[in-house]
Amino acid sequence: MAVRASVSRFPIDARAHESSGIPWGVSVTPHSPAYGSDGQLLPRCENCWAYFNTYCELDQWSWNCALCGNPQGLSSQTIARYSHPESCPETMSSFVDLELPAEESDEAMQPRPVYVAAIDLSSSEEFLELTKSALLASLEALGPGSLFGLATFSHKLGLCDVQGPIPVVKNVFIPPETEGNLPFELEDVMPLLQFLAPVETCKDRIGSALETLRPATSWERTTAAGQGIDGVLMGGRGFGVAMEGLLNYLGSEFGSTFALGRVFAFLPGPPEYGAGQLDTRRYGEQYASKGEDADHALLPEQTPFYKDLAAVAVQADLASLKFLRVDSGGSLYLYSNTDDSTLPQDMYRMLSRPYAFGCVLRLRTSSEFKTGHSYGHFFPDPQYENVQHIICCDSYATYAYDFEFEDTKGFAKHGSEPPIIQIAFQYTVVLPSEELSDSTSVSSSRGKYSLKRQLRIRTLQCGVAQNMNELYDSVDPEVILSLLVHKVILASLEQGVREGRILLHDWLVILTAQYNEAYKLIQYKNGSAGTAQIDIAFTQCPELQSLPCLVFALLRNPLLRFHEEGVHPDYRIYLQCLFSALEPSSLHRAVYPVLTSYSTPEKQAYPLPSLSRAALITSGLLWTVINKLKQERCITPKLIFIRGGQDDATTFENYLIEEQDVDGNGITRVMGFVSFLDDLTECVLEYIKSGI
């Protein structure tokens, strides 16, 4: 479990927090390997329900909670355990991962992993070939005992039976009405266990079935679809009804045949047939003609259909489709074309890495402060405050919280203990039984896979900054960027992209002003601030120096660029889904790339030049450790070779962020990052003068 705070020394009180201009919070990446047992025996505070940890005072008969300070008694069983503290992980480390006893329902279940591919046949040959390659790669990543189902959709939903000598497809026509449902239950069309084939015995037959797939002809689709919206012929992509039918189909065996089912949908365009169809004509110029803010109007979903469908899953208008990914714990991948798509590599890597499901995440704090907002792809518990549920979580999934004080005194109270954060993460994994052969909770008669319920707890004690210099010196700029991205995404969805940009720009102005005030760098003459002493480069604090570049890069990112600049709403929604789940270091690279120069393929010349042409004048041959980068990323990076002086260098030059023109309001200037800093200086002076 990786936990990173925006400041390693917390502000001493609410006034210090407000004066600093620094977002205060943490990022949490909960799913990583650790070991232990007997999680059900871990003592809990009867007041705040925190778990016992190494920061708690322990006596022979009792313990004091490190978060709320309340004394707690110990049961006779716990007293016996703690008589040998070296055998108890929670007394030896602030980070423990303990196995919980299996529930009766888990013991009765045969938890075979289930994977279903839903392929859009109202597509091109190129898209279909790419999808076939991705699924063939995926089959290699699935372990023995996994079940795989192959479905197709267009104006009809097809179920493939690959367990016989030849593949058999049974189709159900999708009604074109926006409120229509499938005319038959899919279980009546094909029994689920006939649809779900064992991978180890049917892999070749699944591959053969994939090779038989062909795009639905345009005549088929337009004839079935008929007249669409306002008399326009639609294409026959009945994605909404197909997904609804498949989820209900799989739900009939959830909890008995399988514990977790994953559905992969391959879409070359937005749904425009049957229930859940979307109108992509809204991406035109009609908003400009009506005087509307297109960036605000295009971000909300058109229909709640897919949000409701996500609720079914847990029990390309991506503004609507994103809920299937966010609320159901899935992943969203978007590719600009089929020629250089990394879909096969991404599918293989996604299925190869470990994941947890049925997760519950809870962050607790000591009594002086509390969580404010929580960010990430989870949904809140309907009963308990600050409890989040995560349907599926891999090792990259990251969540964020910001903090606020309970009162104005904060940690300045007399006798106040150091602030403490405790993150509890309860989750289930599906593991091959041979990996659990030493566990007493696993029966060898339960098949090739078993469920393992774990409780992971990490408790951190943090320092307190006694002055502003200590606070600024403890800054983690990557976590600050992560919190800022969450905040501007939220502002963009609620108020539009323009408001998100203004929020980000104003934050940097205020931070710069507060920093100059804290370090007493501003000279006042006759009641006004002098210009010579404004330090916009944060020269007195190295930890803050990267923030102007990061803000500038974020303002240039398609996440916050305007519709009229050619940024498609689907791409912006994709970036929202991606950026809001990345851990801070990966997000930093996504927003502000690293340019590395090599004099030879084996010798690095200039490790970190800035993203400008001036930095490239003395550079030698450029080479990177490609395999290492591929392993570090959750999405496979695209490799492009550009020969200097011969090939079009536009793609490379687009990454020279400091050459591009932007200011806080989106108005282009002449000098890029330099003009941005000039504008920042003027804005800081205006802000300071307004407060004099």
Side-chain angles (χ1 to χ4, degrees):
M1 179 185 291
V3 182
R4 294 175 61 179
S6 59
V7 284
S8 59
R9 291 180 175 270
F10 286 3
I12 195 167
D13 54 29
R15 182 178 180 182
H17 177 215
E18 184 177 355
S19 299
S20 70
I22 296 292
W24 178 29
V26 294
S27 69
V28 181
T29 308
H31 191 45
S32 57
Y35 306 96
S37 60
D38 295 328
Q40 77 278 11
L41 302 179
L42 196 63
R44 298 188 67 176
C45 175
E46 295 179 0
N47 179 52
C48 70
W49 295 104
Y51 292 90
F52 178 86
N53 57 83
T54 54
Y55 299 109
C56 298
E57 295 181 5
L58 177 64
D59 296 324
Q60 183 177 1
W61 313 105
S62 64
W63 61 283
N64 287 354
C65 178
L67 277 76
C68 70
N70 277 32
Q72 313 288 323
L74 290 173
S75 67
S76 57
Q77 186 179 15
T78 306
I79 291 173
R81 286 185 73 237
Y82 288 170
S83 63
H84 302 283
E86 67 279 357
S87 64
C88 303
E90 66 269 23
T91 64
M92 305 298 293
S93 173
S94 60
F95 178 30
V96 296
D97 195 5
L98 306 175
E99 184 176 353
L100 297 172
E103 299 179 1
E104 291 184 8
S105 59
D106 293 344
E107 292 286 351
M109 188 185 301
Q110 297 179 0
R112 305 180 72 178
V114 167
Y115 305 91
V116 173
I119 304 174
D120 184 359
L121 295 185
S122 58
S123 60
S124 64
E125 285 279 1
E126 293 78 12
F127 177 84
L128 204 52
E129 288 302 315
L130 175 64
T131 302
K132 292 176 184 178
S133 299
L135 288 175
L136 290 173
S138 301
L139 291 174
E140 299 303 318
L142 303 183
S146 301
L147 299 176
F148 184 89
L150 180 61
T152 62
F153 64 92
S154 55
H155 60 285
K156 56 187 177 182
L157 173 60
L159 304 177
C160 299
D161 176 7
V162 299
Q163 298 187 58
I166 59 172
V168 175
V169 180
K170 294 185 177 180
N171 293 299
V172 180
F173 283 93
I174 296 173
E177 297 81 17
T178 57
E179 301 295 330
N181 297 311
L182 290 174
F184 307 104
E185 294 291 335
L186 294 183
E187 182 68 28
D188 297 332
V189 177
M190 181 181 293
L192 182 62
L193 295 182
Q194 186 178 338
F195 172 69
L196 298 175
V199 171
E200 70 268 27
T201 59
C202 298
K203 183 184 295 185
D204 292 340
R205 294 175 184 174
I206 295 171
S208 299
L210 287 171
E211 292 303 323
T212 65
L213 298 182
R214 297 290 182 270
T217 65
S218 58
W219 180 86
E220 274 188 292
R221 287 183 278 135
T222 54
T223 301
Q227 299 292 313
I229 300 174
D230 297 335
V232 178
L233 279 173
M234 307 303 286
R237 182 173 293 121
F239 173 73
V241 176
M243 287 299 101
E244 185 177 44
L246 286 173
L247 292 177
N248 290 330
Y249 188 32
L250 293 172
S252 63
E253 289 293 324
F254 176 77
S256 56
T257 301
F258 65 94
L260 177 69
R262 306 179 78 175
V263 179
F264 309 118
F266 300 88
L267 275 171
E272 16 73 315
Y273 180 80
Q277 62 183 261
L278 304 170
D279 178 14
T280 57
R281 296 177 303 159
R282 67 182 191 144
Y283 294 159
E285 302 299 325
Q286 70 269 36
Y287 292 102
S289 63
K290 295 178 181 179
E292 297 182 41
D293 182 357
D295 297 292
H296 190 193
L298 292 174
L299 284 176
E301 70 273 15
Q302 283 189 48
T303 171
F305 179 88
Y306 295 100
K307 192 169 187 177
D308 296 340
L309 190 56
V312 173
V314 303
Q315 166 172 262
D317 175 7
L318 298 185
S320 299
L321 299 185
K322 70 175 181 180
F323 290 107
L324 274 179
R325 178 260 182 270
V326 172
D327 288 3
S328 66
S331 299
L332 176 65
Y333 295 87
L334 180 67
Y335 304 95
S336 57
N337 57 68
T338 58
D339 295 336
D340 52 7
S341 170
T342 59
L343 176 62
Q345 297 95 316
D346 289 335
M347 288 287 295
Y348 180 85
R349 294 182 62 211
M350 177 181 66
L351 293 172
S352 298
R353 54 181 176 249
Y355 59 88
F357 68 97
C359 313
V360 181
L361 183 64
R362 172 71 188 268
L363 186 146
R364 295 179 175 89
T365 65
S366 48
S367 57
E368 298 88 351
F369 68 113
K370 61 183 179 180
T371 57
H373 291 90
S374 56
Y375 309 96
H377 299 166
F378 44 45
F379 60 92
D381 187 275
Q383 183 177 358
Y384 298 103
E385 188 178 6
N386 295 326
V387 175
Q388 285 85 29
H389 294 267
I390 304 166
I391 300 304
C392 188
C393 173
D394 65 17
S395 55
Y396 288 98
T398 301
Y399 312 92
Y401 301 83
D402 56 25
F403 299 135
E404 57 190 43
F405 283 99
E406 285 282 6
D407 54 43
T408 57
K409 294 181 180 180
F411 307 118
K413 299 174 184 177
H414 178 69
S416 178
E417 296 291 331
I420 289 182
I421 300 170
Q422 185 178 85
I423 301 104
F425 181 59
Q426 193 173 128
Y427 63 98
T428 299
V429 290
V430 178
L431 294 176
S433 295
E434 56 267 23
E435 292 188 18
L436 300 174
S437 57
D438 295 332
S439 175
T440 58
S441 64
V442 177
S443 170
S444 60
S445 63
R446 286 171 55 194
K448 296 184 178 180
Y449 289 87
S450 298
L451 296 182
K452 187 178 181 183
R453 190 70 175 167
Q454 295 283 120
L455 174 62
R456 178 170 299 181
I457 301 170
R458 183 163 186 182
T459 309
L460 299 94
Q461 188 177 74
C462 306
V464 175
Q466 300 301 318
N467 53 58
M468 204 59 69
N469 290 17
E470 287 187 3
L471 184 64
Y472 285 144
D473 287 342
S474 71
V475 158
D476 185 332
E478 292 184 335
V479 180
I480 288 178
L481 175 65
S482 179
L483 291 171
L484 288 174
V485 166
H486 282 295
K487 291 176 185 294
V488 298
I489 287 175
L490 191 61
S492 298
L493 289 171
E494 293 178 350
Q495 300 173 295
V497 172
R498 192 174 302 274
E499 287 300 317
R501 294 175 62 86
I502 293 173
L503 170 69
L504 182 62
H505 184 265
D506 288 353
W507 171 82
L508 182 59
V509 169
I510 294 171
L511 172 66
T512 309
Q514 304 285 44
Y515 156 81
N516 278 268
E517 291 278 7
Y519 282 87
K520 297 180 172 55
L521 301 176
I522 304 172
Q523 295 182 353
Y524 293 95
K525 296 179 180 179
N526 300 323
S528 62
T531 60
Q533 297 299 321
I534 296 294
D535 180 8
I536 59 172
F538 299 97
T539 56
Q540 303 295 315
C541 184
E543 287 75 13
L544 298 177
Q545 289 175 4
S546 63
L547 291 176
C549 286
L550 294 178
V551 170
F552 179 81
L554 190 53
L555 288 168
R556 284 306 305 157
N557 193 276
L559 179 74
L560 291 178
R561 292 176 69 176
F562 297 116
H563 182 60
E564 55 263 30
E565 294 183 76
V567 179
H568 196 282
D570 280 1
Y571 186 51
R572 184 181 289 115
I573 291 293
Y574 164 71
L575 291 179
Q576 288 180 357
C577 291
L578 175 64
F579 286 5
S580 58
L582 288 177
E583 56 88 25
S585 296
S586 298
L587 178 61
H588 183 187
R589 290 293 161 259
V591 171
Y592 194 87
V594 171
L595 177 61
T596 307
S597 178
Y598 288 76
S599 56
T600 71
E602 292 78 29
K603 184 177 180 181
Q604 187 171 324
Y606 295 93
L608 290 175
S610 63
L611 298 183
S612 62
R613 290 184 179 87
L616 303 178
I617 294 175
T618 57
S619 296
L621 299 175
L622 186 63
W623 190 247
T624 56
V625 186
I626 299 169
N627 290 333
K628 183 173 183 294
L629 291 177
K630 287 182 177 180
Q631 292 299 321
E632 293 174 346
R633 308 292 171 84
C634 61
I635 297 177
T636 306
K638 185 188 301 183
L639 177 62
I640 303 174
F641 290 96
I642 300 175
R643 296 170 295 177
Q646 300 182 49
D647 300 332
D648 183 4
T650 302
T651 302
F652 173 72
E653 291 177 349
N654 286 340
Y655 286 100
L656 300 179
I657 293 173
E658 294 176 21
E659 294 287 337
Q660 300 174 14
D661 304 327
V662 68
D663 71 6
N665 298 315
I667 303 172
T668 56
R669 296 290 187 89
V670 178
M671 298 178 64
F673 186 57
V674 175
S675 69
F676 175 77
L677 295 179
D678 291 340
D679 175 74
L680 178 61
T681 303
E682 296 175 8
C683 292
V684 170
L685 280 171
E686 291 178 8
Y687 175 80
I688 293 173
K689 290 176 181 178
S690 66
I692 295 176

